[in-house]
Amino acid sequence: MDTIKIVLAGQPNVGKSMLINAMSGSNGLKVGNFSGVTVEKTEVCFEHHCHMMEMVDLPGTYSIRGFSQEEKVAHNYLQGEEYDVIINVLDSTHLQRNLLLTLELLKLNKKMVLALNMADEAKKEGIEIDVKQIEAIIGVPVVLVSANTKMGVEELLEKIHEVADNPKREDSNIVYSDAVEEEILDLVQFIDAKGFSFRDLSSREIAIRLIFEDKDLYKELHDEPIMMELQPRLISALEHLYLHHETKNVQEIKYNEYNAIARGIRMETVSCKRNRGGKNRTKKIDDIMINKYLGIPIFLFLMWGLFQLTFKLGAMPMDWIDAGVGAFGDWIGSTISNESLKSVIVDGIIAGVGAVLMFLPNIIILYIGIALLETTGYMSRVAFLLDGFFHKFGLHGKSFIPLVTGFGCSVPAYMAARTLKSEKDRLITLFIIGFMSCGARLPIYVLFAGAFFGAEKAGNILFVIYISGALLGLIMAKVLRVVVFKGDDEPFVMEMPKYRLPSFILVWHTVYNNAKSYVKKAGTFILGASILIWALATYPNQPLLEKSYASKIEQIKDTQKISQLENELKMKKLENSYLGQIGKASEPFFAPLGFDWRMTVALEAGLAAKEVVVSTLGVLYAIGDEVDETSNALSNELKANISFASAMAFIVFVMIYLPCLAASMVFAKEAGGYKYLVYLFIFTTVTAWILSFITYQILI
Amino acid sequence: MKLSDLHKGDSALIKKIETQEALKTRLASFGVVRGSKLTIEACSIGKQTMEILVDGTLIGLRGEEAKQIEVEKI
């Protein structure tokens, strides 16, 4: 079977990822309505007409000549890799701006198809597009498609076959301004007269590239004798253009020309029958949402609502899961006769994994909220509203997107930071993403807030924890900006996409994928960690200790005293276990913060994954006493065993210290090396320790 | 007149963009070049950021950058 390798290129928010979904029927990709969802190129394969379609989805970029990480990824791929066809995806409702990228892509001289996406939306807005005319001007096939309704998708696939079978792309009929055309004509005549040819480029194409100072072409032509004669002609041509365009910046001249061409194509091919309703709607919503005075209160209210919802709505299914897991553990326990096997399964595996699964409802609600922000287009508005504020802390309004993603999970957040063009802005953002408490830390907060403040206040406490974590992150950003990353700021220029109704499918994909990976973690990583922690807590066996207590218990008749002694035995066994030894060894380091060895162990286990903190506490505190079947078993235990000051210091430490193993690895990759991970470890641990210490000393 | 001197609802033509190359490229890829027509759609408090409409695209811009764009009010 033949393979057709296809590259999708397009500006952000044109629905490239969704178009791939529509073409392949796959659903593995995440699609969002803000810049830079596809941060790495994504590959999808499927079969069509006995050809294997291999698709590469490049990150959305406004240009392929820019300096941002994504633009580099896109440019390097398009320039350096082998592929058959480029699908240039455009937003039909914003054709003019989208065509600017098309003009750059044409310069690659590769086979290409234009997919005018969101054609259904354009139709609704009364926009009519003359496809044939665009084809005539640009010289590549143009297809109207809609990833939403799947309209035109089949036609697009047919066109890809057609184009892939053609040996060469047709030349385009793009006309520059008179001034440029004159110079082009001059050079073409000279090149033709010399009988010069180069690669697969036409004389006109060579002339255009020479005028616009195409670096690659200059490099290649450097040793050609024709250059000597071309040089004076080029200089005079450029002098004319400088005069005409009132600037000596060739790039600027090129942008002006491209913009004029794009405008020309739009005027020639697009007609708008009705007043554009969609845009007016966006304007109306923007009047409220980014209102000078209302904007920020609305944003804070939405965030507050999201956290309230996460806690209140999540409480019910949490109780069911908790009760279900408890009953399941009892039932399994009653069928196993071997004591140590029963212990590993009930106290180790079921208690550990159950404690993690319990928080699935909260996490699903939080992800739904974030997915809604993304797909409606509100996320970019928030960046707009917050830039003034963020800028004061040495951050960029765009940092908001990775930072808020960090509330869900640090892994995609680290990757989303690539939308930041300046290296410094990016690194600062990367360093403080951890201060935005991720979904996996949520269970710890919910547990402690519920235990120490009661269920009514827990929602507010949770809000305070998240906000203070975020504020702390901002302060740290300023510190980093002043002390470590000095220098110029990145400009703030970003598109405000049209408001869209959230698509159920997109929200579903985001939430489903995240929930799935959370459960998967519970089933694999956390399962393993639970067994390990159980084993560390149970071994080595201590027969001597058991014997001495057994004989003591035999001598006493009083049942109350017997249970007291039994508890004492369990505590002693735990203290002498491997886990107890590890905790004890590092206890001095945490003693000033008011942590006992069990909390210490939980924190250390949390370096692997934050979910493990709760399951470790579950195992450690459930073993010592009678198992209580009410849903608040663990939180009651915590309240009974931990002082208020220690608990608060513990929350503070959890808020700040190093994210999980997986996130740390992604951080190292995104920041550009493991040395940054070492910095991050020192930075977070020191900050966490100092602030926990202060918290404990104030509250004690 | 600078872009940053305009208020919500104003329209203007871009006369000159005097700024560093990276920003110029970015602006150009959004269709913000000499001769483009723009409308101010929104300003945040103290004009820290401004939202402009150029050729049907809404663009968010920082006040500092708006200072570097020379316009003519229409």
Side-chain angles (χ1 to χ4, degrees):
Chain A
M1 195 159 48
D2 288 337
T3 307
I4 303 179
K5 196 158 183 189
I6 303 156
V7 182
L8 267 91
Q11 296 195 340
N13 307 314
V14 296
K16 276 189 301 135
S17 304
M18 220 175 143
L19 186 61
I20 291 197
N21 282 351
M23 287 167 87
S24 63
S26 89
N27 47 23
L29 290 162
K30 191 181 165 222
V31 191
N33 190 15
F34 69 89
S35 310
V37 176
T38 318
V39 277
E40 264 192 345
K41 54 186 202 295
T42 323
E43 294 191 320
V44 178
C45 294
F46 62 96
E47 202 196 320
H48 186 261
H49 286 347
C50 300
H51 281 75
M52 189 52 122
M53 300 291 216
E54 211 181 307
M55 294 229 190
V56 177
D57 184 17
L58 293 179
T61 54
Y62 293 102
S63 155
I64 51 168
R65 290 278 164 201
F67 308 95
S68 83
Q69 204 80 355
E70 290 159 327
E71 281 164 3
K72 277 182 204 154
V73 169
H75 182 247
N76 290 345
Y77 194 94
L78 288 167
Q79 194 86 296
E81 299 283 328
E82 287 285 319
Y83 53 89
D84 299 306
V85 182
I86 301 173
I87 303 181
N88 177 205
V89 187
L90 294 90
D91 174 354
S92 303
T93 62
H94 286 118
L95 214 49
Q96 181 174 331
R97 191 198 69 223
N98 279 259
L99 281 168
L100 292 173
L101 180 67
T102 308
L103 294 173
E104 286 184 13
L105 292 173
L106 283 172
K107 289 278 165 255
L108 295 163
N109 236 17
K110 300 275 187 178
K111 292 175 197 168
M112 202 156 102
V113 179
L114 296 196
L116 306 188
N117 197 10
M118 308 185 190
D120 53 335
E121 221 170 284
K123 210 172 175 188
K124 261 188 227 151
E125 289 182 20
I127 299 171
E128 263 179 39
I129 300 167
D130 187 347
V131 172
K132 285 275 159 291
Q133 185 64 16
I134 299 180
E135 273 180 3
I137 298 170
I138 296 183
V140 304
V142 178
V143 187
L144 284 173
V145 294
S146 163
N148 257 337
T149 62
K150 307 224 163 164
M151 175 198 105
V153 169
E154 192 56 35
E155 192 193 341
L156 177 62
L157 287 166
E158 299 288 344
K159 281 277 194 259
I160 292 166
H161 284 288
E162 243 173 69
V163 170
D165 290 341
N166 275 352
K168 201 183 165 291
R169 196 182 84 196
E170 279 177 49
D171 283 331
S172 54
N173 300 308
I174 289 168
V175 183
Y176 292 85
S177 70
D178 290 348
V180 176
E181 282 297 333
E182 224 169 84
E183 305 306 330
I184 292 172
L185 194 68
D186 240 26
L187 286 174
V188 167
Q189 275 172 352
F190 176 73
I191 291 167
D192 285 344
K194 292 285 284 184
F196 179 73
S197 69
F198 187 74
R199 274 200 334 232
D200 52 350
L201 298 176
S202 64
S203 308
R204 181 180 163 83
E205 199 50 46
I206 294 174
I208 293 168
R209 285 173 194 225
L210 285 173
I211 287 174
F212 291 137
E213 295 183 343
D214 181 299
K215 276 187 195 136
D216 298 330
L217 188 69
Y218 271 85
K219 241 178 245 164
E220 286 177 278
L221 284 184
H222 190 259
D223 297 330
E224 297 283 341
I226 194 175
M227 274 313 274
M228 206 177 65
E229 282 177 84
L230 267 174
Q231 222 160 18
R233 282 161 217 273
L234 264 173
I235 291 169
S236 93
L238 285 174
E239 285 298 336
H240 287 161
L241 290 181
Y242 292 159
L243 225 67
H244 190 266
H245 280 268
E246 295 171 31
T247 172
K248 288 202 170 172
N249 186 331
V250 176
Q251 291 310 311
E252 205 175 327
I253 295 174
K254 189 167 100 176
Y255 301 144
N256 288 343
E257 290 285 332
Y258 276 11
N259 268 288
I261 294 166
R263 192 173 303 148
I265 295 177
R266 191 207 60 193
M267 293 199 322
E268 235 177 290
T269 60
V270 179
S271 60
C272 190
K273 279 189 174 166
R274 261 181 292 133
N275 195 11
R276 296 179 70 171
K279 206 169 65 202
N280 283 337
R281 195 182 63 197
T282 293
K283 271 188 185 174
K284 273 182 198 151
I285 301 174
D286 261 354
D287 277 343
I288 302 165
M289 287 311 220
I290 56 173
N291 181 286
K292 219 180 221 179
Y293 308 104
L294 288 176
I296 287 179
I298 289 175
F299 162 70
L300 289 177
F301 174 75
L302 287 174
M303 282 286 138
W304 176 82
L306 176 60
F307 289 116
Q308 284 294 327
L309 214 61
T310 304
F311 194 76
K312 292 250 162 78
L313 209 66
M316 263 193 318
M318 261 175 81
D319 287 347
W320 303 336
I321 294 175
D322 193 27
V325 167
F328 181 69
D330 280 354
W331 176 71
I332 291 282
S334 67
T335 60
I336 302 169
S337 51
N338 185 316
E339 270 302 314
S340 60
L341 186 67
K342 184 174 157 182
S343 171
V344 68
I345 291 178
V346 177
D347 298 329
I349 297 174
I350 295 178
V353 173
V356 173
L357 283 185
M358 212 167 84
F359 295 99
L360 190 61
N362 296 55
I363 280 165
I364 289 177
I365 295 169
L366 191 69
Y367 274 121
I368 290 176
I370 291 177
L372 284 178
L373 286 183
E374 281 178 12
T375 51
T376 51
Y378 183 58
M379 200 78 111
S380 304
R381 268 68 185 188
V382 177
F384 176 84
L385 284 172
L386 298 183
D387 183 72
F389 177 72
F390 272 32
H391 194 50
K392 289 197 175 68
F393 293 97
L395 283 165
H396 188 273
K398 257 196 231 169
S399 308
F400 172 77
I401 291 164
L403 290 180
V404 90
T405 312
F407 285 124
C409 176
S410 300
V411 174
Y414 285 134
M415 289 164 75
R418 283 192 189 179
T419 44
L420 289 154
K421 203 159 57 175
S422 134
E423 187 73 8
K424 284 171 199 152
D425 283 343
R426 207 165 59 82
L427 279 173
I428 294 176
T429 308
L430 285 175
F431 268 99
I432 64 158
I433 279 171
F435 287 96
M436 312 301 128
S437 291
C438 72
R441 295 183 201 215
L442 181 66
I444 310 171
Y445 303 146
V446 173
L447 183 66
F448 276 78
F452 289 89
F453 293 96
E456 275 92 64
K457 281 193 198 153
N460 293 328
I461 295 297
L462 215 61
F463 183 67
V464 170
I465 290 173
Y466 272 74
I467 288 292
S468 52
L471 285 177
L472 185 65
L474 291 178
I475 294 165
M476 284 301 160
K478 186 72 188 171
V479 172
L480 287 172
R481 182 101 220 172
V482 173
V483 179
V484 189
F485 303 103
K486 302 163 198 163
D488 282 341
D489 302 343
E490 187 194 338
F492 177 88
V493 181
M494 74 187 290
E495 188 196 350
M496 305 276 125
K498 222 183 298 180
Y499 283 108
R500 283 179 215 286
L501 281 177
S503 142
F504 172 76
I505 296 168
L506 293 189
V507 174
W508 164 252
H509 284 321
T510 313
V511 174
Y512 174 77
N513 285 333
N514 284 310
K516 197 172 79 180
S517 78
Y518 183 81
V519 172
K520 216 169 164 185
K521 236 169 154 187
T524 52
F525 205 68
I526 293 160
L527 180 80
S530 296
I531 295 173
L532 180 71
I533 289 163
W534 171 85
L536 288 172
T538 314
Y539 297 102
N541 278 326
Q542 295 150 52
L544 270 178
L545 191 75
E546 270 176 55
K547 237 182 206 164
S548 75
Y549 269 88
S551 60
K552 264 192 218 168
I553 288 169
E554 260 174 38
Q555 289 161 7
I556 300 170
K557 293 267 154 61
D558 187 356
T559 45
Q560 215 181 337
K561 270 213 163 152
I562 289 179
S563 83
Q564 212 178 345
L565 278 172
E566 275 175 346
N567 277 346
E568 225 178 278
L569 167 66
K570 282 172 184 165
M571 278 303 292
K572 284 216 164 130
K573 271 174 77 176
L574 203 50
E575 270 189 72
N576 293 323
S577 68
Y578 292 122
L579 196 62
Q581 288 167 26
I582 296 171
K584 280 262 166 69
S586 50
E587 205 180 2
F589 180 72
F590 290 103
L593 314 181
F595 299 172
D596 66 6
W597 62 272
R598 284 181 286 199
M599 292 159 87
T600 308
V601 168
L603 281 179
E604 283 161 2
L607 286 174
K610 293 292 166 287
E611 294 92 330
V612 180
V613 175
V614 170
S615 59
T616 306
L617 288 170
V619 171
L620 288 179
Y621 284 98
I623 283 175
D625 297 278
E626 293 275 304
V627 179
D628 187 355
E629 285 316 319
T630 63
S631 60
N632 294 320
L634 185 53
S635 78
N636 286 340
E637 288 303 326
L638 292 179
K639 207 173 176 183
N641 285 294
I642 300 173
S643 77
F644 183 75
S646 305
M648 294 307 110
F650 189 77
I651 290 180
V652 171
F653 202 92
V654 169
M655 267 163 71
I656 304 167
Y657 86 127
L658 200 70
C660 71
L661 195 66
S664 299
M665 290 302 132
V666 175
F667 171 85
K669 188 169 162 260
E670 292 300 318
Y674 283 98
K675 71 173 182 194
Y676 287 102
L677 186 56
V678 175
Y679 297 152
L680 184 72
F681 179 75
I682 297 167
F683 173 63
T684 51
T685 311
V686 169
T687 316
W689 197 93
I690 293 171
L691 289 175
S692 290
F693 180 73
I694 293 170
T695 309
Y696 183 67
Q697 295 304 326
I698 288 173
L699 290 174
I700 200 171
Chain B
M1 192 176 206
K2 307 276 183 219
L3 175 57
S4 53
D5 299 329
L6 297 176
H7 300 283
K8 189 178 169 178
D10 287 351
S11 294
L13 277 175
I14 295 176
K15 301 271 287 174
K16 201 166 192 180
I17 301 174
E18 266 187 88
T19 177
Q20 89 248 35
E21 202 52 38
L23 179 54
K24 242 182 218 174
T25 316
R26 175 51 48 102
L27 286 170
S29 63
F30 281 111
V32 181
V33 290
R34 195 168 69 109
S36 308
K37 187 186 163 222
L38 60 86
T39 318
I40 310 285
E41 291 296 328
C43 299
S44 64
I45 298 173
K47 276 196 197 150
Q48 287 170 323
T49 42
M50 305 173 87
E51 191 187 47
I52 60 172
L53 182 71
V54 179
D55 293 325
T57 304
L58 283 167
I59 301 157
L61 209 64
R62 200 179 271 157
E64 281 167 38
E65 284 125 41
K67 277 189 193 129
Q68 299 168 326
I69 299 173
E70 184 95 23
V71 294
E72 186 187 292
K73 202 170 157 184
I74 46 171

